[in-house]
């Protein structure tokens, strides 16, 4: 999950935790309003905890150097048995870790045995 989405989820969770239950509990709530406020508050707290854990997980993976990323790459072309890759390559899947390819460029392969990849290639 990108940092922008994590921040958005945290903001929405905090707003949900604070605003609606507080509104429902004004002016002497009945049993249904108490239950609704409790459910909404618990949902907001769960979303907040999830977002924080996702952010920490991504930060830990990034800190360990095991996240490979390709973003906004250019075009690549291969011919006569070559390989064109505009993403992330991990031949044989030996590197482990995680991969991310976002808005990669065009890859073109022409000729017998050629290969073009625009995302993650672990073959």
């Amino acid at each position: 999950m990108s940092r922008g989405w994590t921040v958005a989820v945290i903001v929405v969770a905090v707003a949900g935790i604070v605003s609606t239950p507080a509104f429902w509990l004004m002016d002497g709530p009945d049993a249904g309003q108490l239950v609704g406020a409790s459910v909404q508050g618990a949902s907001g707290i769960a979303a907040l905890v999830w977002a924080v854990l996702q952010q920490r997980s991504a930060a830990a993976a990034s800190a360990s150097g095991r996240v490979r990323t390709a973003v906004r790459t250019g075009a690549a072309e291969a011919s006569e048995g070559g390989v064109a890759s505009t993403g992330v390559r991990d031949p044989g899947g030996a590197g482990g870790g995680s991969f991310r390819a976002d808005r990669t460029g065009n890859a073109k392969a022409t000729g017998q045995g050629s290969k073009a990849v625009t995302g993650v290639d672990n073959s």
Side-chain angles (χ1 to χ4, degrees):
M1 173 178 274
S2 73
R3 184 168 177 83
W5 277 107
T6 302
V7 170
V9 169
I10 290 172
V11 168
V12 170
V14 168
I17 290 170
V18 174
S19 67
T20 305
F23 179 74
W24 282 357
L25 297 176
M26 293 171 23
D27 292 330
D30 61 20
Q33 289 171 321
L34 286 173
V35 170
S38 299
V39 169
Q40 185 146 10
S43 298
I45 290 168
L48 181 60
V49 168
W50 175 82
V52 169
L53 291 177
Q54 290 296 316
Q55 185 175 2
R56 286 185 183 167
S57 174
S62 180
S64 70
R66 299 190 66 169
V67 177
R68 294 183 193 100
T69 305
V71 179
R72 296 184 194 166
T73 60
E77 188 170 332
S79 61
E80 303 304 322
V83 176
S85 177
T86 62
V88 180
R89 292 194 70 214
D90 183 28
S98 62
F99 302 89
R100 179 175 168 252
D102 189 24
R103 295 182 301 249
T104 57
N106 297 328
K108 180 181 178 182
T110 57
Q112 186 174 11
S114 298
K115 180 180 176 181
V117 179
T118 62
V120 176
D121 179 17
N122 63 0
S123 59

